[in-house]
Amino acid sequence: MLAGTHAPVIEAHGLGKVYGSVVALRDVELRVERGEFFGLFGPNGAGKTTMLRILTGQIAPSAGTAAVLGLPLPLGGVEVRAKVGVVPEFESPPSFLTGEEYLRFVCRARGIEGSKERAARWLEFFALTDRKGLLCKDMSKGMRQKVMLAAAFIHEPELLFLDEPFINLDPLYQKRVQEYLREYLEGGGTVFMCSHLLEIAERLCTRITVLKRGAVVATGTLAELKRPGEQGLADVFMRLVGGELDEGQGAETTAGAAGTV
């Protein structure tokens, strides 16, 4: 991990994305500093996954600019993806590799030495050592999620992009991953996370942005965003976007052919 610097790790200005007639993002301003645990929240169809895909160089914005680790996007997308760890919401490890084979493949693809030892460390962390020879296609959803998390963590990146990282994990490993992420931040890392698990997010996030229909409606710490009588992030979330929940479903479905919003 890199030493601290005043330059933002993630920066976006006037960012927009259109899928046909659907506006997935509109005029988004975003700045994430090194060492933050930054959370991006919103109902289904609000633009969270689109934002993450732009910031990891997978798709180009329709308007505005974005940069990650000082690299402009989408031009620097390959270099960004080489430097960061990504846990996508719906992707799974390759079906006909074992968990160990996939983790060692990730190391080789990233030019990292000691793939056997690194894979063994994360298989042990996620209690998969006795299943290391099991093909990914035969794993449970929870086991596949553990392998995807291990693949994101294995090269010790300076920045993690996590889209619903706790999905399919049992409470024991939700807690263990939370503990690891806190240690990761203490070591100088930065996290950008999208999640619907607001209870967990409230414990982890140092600052948050809330999207509604592709636009930023609030940014700040939880303390800054709470109003009198509100107990936590769930209350803030419902005040800001509660009236849009049903409408957001339609936008996500319409945009599905072009990419998850």
Side-chain angles (χ1 to χ4, degrees):
M1 298 178 191
L2 298 183
T5 176
H6 294 298
V9 176
I10 300 171
E11 195 167 19
H13 298 292
L15 205 63
K17 182 64 180 178
V18 178
Y19 295 108
S21 62
V22 176
V23 180
L25 292 173
R26 63 187 81 217
D27 200 27
V28 173
E29 298 287 325
L30 195 68
R31 182 183 176 99
V32 179
E33 305 292 344
R34 192 172 300 278
E36 285 195 282
F37 198 120
F38 188 89
L40 185 68
F41 305 101
N44 292 338
K48 303 181 300 297
T49 297
T50 294
M51 188 73 194
L52 190 146
R53 292 178 70 196
I54 290 174
L55 294 178
T56 53
Q58 298 176 65
I59 59 174
S62 303
T65 62
V68 171
L69 301 172
L71 299 165
L73 295 168
L75 184 63
V78 172
E79 193 172 351
V80 166
R81 290 192 296 276
K83 291 177 176 288
V84 306
V86 182
V87 177
E89 183 178 5
F90 296 118
E91 194 170 314
S92 291
S95 296
F96 291 97
L97 291 180
T98 67
E100 181 182 35
E101 287 170 343
Y102 177 58
L103 293 180
R104 295 188 67 177
F105 167 78
V106 169
C107 288
R108 289 195 297 272
R110 292 184 174 278
I112 299 169
E113 296 182 357
S115 64
K116 183 176 181 180
E117 293 75 16
R118 285 177 183 256
R121 177 204 170 186
W122 287 105
L123 290 169
E124 182 179 2
F125 180 93
F126 283 114
L128 294 174
T129 302
D130 62 344
R131 305 291 183 90
K132 67 180 182 180
L134 186 66
L135 292 176
C136 292
K137 73 179 183 68
D138 296 324
M139 291 180 173
S140 68
K141 290 181 179 179
M143 291 171 67
R144 290 197 295 269
Q145 182 68 4
K146 290 176 179 179
V147 172
M148 293 302 294
L149 286 163
F153 299 161
I154 199 166
H155 61 297
E156 300 176 358
E158 57 191 288
L159 172 62
L160 288 171
F161 285 100
L162 308 178
D163 197 353
E164 298 295 351
F166 300 102
I167 191 169
N168 296 320
L169 294 184
D170 63 44
L172 174 64
Y173 279 92
Q174 287 183 1
K175 185 174 186 297
R176 190 155 197 204
V177 171
Q178 289 177 65
E179 291 170 349
Y180 171 76
L181 291 174
R182 290 191 183 97
E183 293 172 2
Y184 170 78
L185 254 66
E186 290 172 1
T190 306
V191 179
F192 183 102
M193 180 179 77
C194 303
S195 180
H196 288 302
L197 299 179
L198 300 183
E199 236 180 84
I200 292 177
E202 182 174 336
R203 292 195 291 269
L204 293 172
C205 292
T206 55
R207 199 161 58 90
I208 66 176
T209 280
V210 179
L211 293 177
K212 180 170 71 174
R213 288 189 285 183
V216 174
V217 293
T219 294
T221 65
L222 181 58
E224 291 168 343
L225 298 183
K226 278 197 304 185
R227 289 183 177 177
E230 292 179 339
Q231 300 302 308
L233 181 55
D235 289 344
V236 172
F237 182 85
M238 290 304 298
R239 168 171 53 82
L240 291 170
V241 304
E244 305 295 331
L245 293 178
D246 294 333
E247 296 176 35
Q249 296 280 0
E252 184 173 33
T253 302
T254 306
T260 303
V261 176

